[in-house]
Each structure stands twice: as structure tokens, then as C-alpha cells.
Amino acid sequence: MARAREIDDFHARHPASDRAIFVALAEVIERGLPEAVGRIWHAHPVWFLDGNPIVGYNRLKDAVRLMFWSGRSFDEPGLTPTGTFQAGEVRYTDVEQVDVDDLVRWLAAARDVQWDYEHIRTNRGLVTRTDF
């Protein structure tokens, strides 16, 4: 599946150093989760499986953040807990910091371990685990 034009537009609006990180991440995500649908969600690239957000990235003040919505539940090292739910993140300041092997492992875990963020509003702010 081709990358959504809106994701390429997001990349183009950022400096070359950030764009290099974004493109590296997007390429590995798209190879690792070919069935996922990527689009801009809350102003950032996010990939979804069956309507559930799985992985995305954004630019913070001091780094590019890669976030897995269910990352705290992965049995994999390298992700830092973030937010109030089950998300895990890693931050990059240079494309050379992107470890493809780590990213491939996290993507495999993301396919199998998911918390249901798609229905968070109907579940009154609660997320439930929906492992596949």
C-alpha cells in the first residue's frame, strides 16, 4: 500500500534532519505492518489496525517521538512509559539513533498486544486489552 499523501505532506513541512527520521520510521513501519492504514490523526502520522491506533510519531520541542499506543505491555526493552494509559515511547534526535531491529520487534509486538483505544469514548475513558 502506498503511503498516504498527507503523511508525505507532514514530512515535507519539517527540516531535513527531522524528515530523515520520519522517513526512516515510516519505511520500517510500512514494511513491518503492511496491513496497517496510515493517516494523519491529531496532526501527526499514525498507523491503525482495524481502526485502533498502533504506532505514530511527532515532533516534540527537543526530539522526534515514536509512540506505540500499547507499548507498556510489550515484553520488549527500549520503550519508556508515556501518558496515562498503556503507551510507550522512544525519542530520537538523529536518524542514526533509529535501531531497525528494535523497531521491527516492537512492530511485531504491536500486532499481537493491543489495548482498545478505538472505543475509549464509549468505554468511558477506560482501555481494555484486546490481544490478537
Side-chain angles (χ1 to χ4, degrees), residues 11-28:
H11 295 169
R13 289 191 301 270
H14 290 82
S17 58
D18 290 345
R19 202 165 40 247
I21 297 170
F22 295 154
V23 169
L25 294 173
E27 289 175 354
V28 177

Side-chain angles (χ1 to χ4, degrees), residues 29 33 53-56 65-74 79-80 82 86-90 92 102-111 117:
I29 291 167
L33 294 175
I54 302 300
V55 61
R65 172 176 54 188
L66 174 69
M67 188 171 84
F68 287 89
W69 268 254
S70 299
R72 284 189 201 179
S73 299
F74 298 171
L79 295 173
T80 303
T82 186
Q86 295 299 319
E89 71 173 27
V90 63
Y92 305 106
D102 284 346
L103 187 47
V104 167
R105 280 195 331 274
W106 297 331
L107 291 167
R111 178 181 284 111
Y117 288 94

Side-chain angles (χ1 to χ4, degrees), residues 108-127:
R111 178 181 284 111
D112 296 332
V113 178
Q114 294 181 34
W115 288 80
D116 183 8
Y117 288 94
E118 181 183 17
H119 299 104
I120 194 168
R121 287 189 178 138
T122 57
N123 291 337
R124 298 180 181 195
L126 299 175
V127 292

Side-chain angles (χ1 to χ4, degrees), residues 36-81:
V37 175
R39 63 183 174 94
I40 298 297
W41 189 52
H42 298 287
H44 308 291
V46 176
W47 281 260
F48 295 80
L49 291 175
D50 297 322
N52 202 30
I54 302 300
V55 61
Y57 48 80
N58 65 327
R59 180 68 169 118
L60 301 174
K61 183 178 179 180
D62 61 345
V64 170
R65 172 176 54 188
L66 174 69
M67 188 171 84
F68 287 89
W69 268 254
S70 299
R72 284 189 201 179
S73 299
F74 298 171
D75 190 20
E76 293 291 336
L79 295 173
T80 303

